[in-house]
Amino acid sequence: TTICFFLLTSLAFAQSVDGRWTTGLHAREPDGQLITLTLRSDGRKLTGTLYENQPIPMEGSIEGNTLKIKLKVTTSNGSELILNYTAILEGDEIKFTYQSETGRPPVFGPAAQEFTAKRVK
């Protein structure tokens, strides 16, 4: 009974990642352009879109408050790059960390190695 109680309590207080998030990842000035992320969860599955110059699809998984996210970016020559991020959901913030498989920085530039998105209220 005690275990069931704790499981139900943790589910009731679980943080939702669903919704819109913004980050000043590309902002060069305080009033610079914000990047918007729209995220949707379905159990442990995560989908969404990052809106920059063009919509970039995202997919991934959720384990507790940890998100594993893949972005599919189309380069200027038409090829597709997959960018991997691990993110931690903490209340109204998601802290992203780039996970390079090749040692190369993300296509969004060095600032995209670690950044924070905030929930749009």
Side-chain angles (χ1 to χ4, degrees):
T1 305
T2 303
I3 292 172
C4 288
F5 173 75
F6 284 116
L7 287 174
L8 289 174
T9 303
S10 65
L11 288 173
F13 292 106
Q15 299 177 58
S16 173
V17 72
D18 294 1
R20 288 186 33 198
W21 302 80
T22 59
T23 179
L25 174 63
H26 284 243
R28 305 230 188 269
E29 316 253 336
D31 61 343
Q33 174 188 1
L34 291 176
I35 291 176
T36 302
L37 301 116
T38 302
L39 300 174
R40 290 173 300 285
S41 62
D42 183 6
R44 294 176 64 180
K45 182 179 177 184
L46 180 68
T47 58
T49 306
L50 182 145
Y51 297 94
E52 193 212 5
N53 294 333
Q54 62 183 9
I56 300 171
M58 303 168 59
E59 60 183 38
S61 63
I62 303 170
E63 179 80 32
N65 69 335
T66 301
L67 314 173
K68 300 282 185 180
I69 298 171
K70 292 182 183 224
L71 297 172
K72 296 178 184 178
V73 180
T74 303
T75 64
S76 57
N77 67 6
S79 64
E80 189 175 85
L81 286 175
I82 304 295
L83 303 177
N84 295 305
Y85 282 89
T86 297
I88 304 296
L89 175 63
E90 296 177 346
D92 288 335
E93 291 188 345
I94 303 175
K95 296 181 181 183
F96 290 82
T97 303
Y98 177 65
Q99 305 296 311
S100 174
E101 295 176 3
T102 63
R104 295 175 53 189
V107 295
F108 300 119
Q113 290 181 357
E114 293 184 354
F115 65 94
T116 301
K118 298 183 186 265
R119 186 184 304 271
V120 176
K121 294 183 179 184

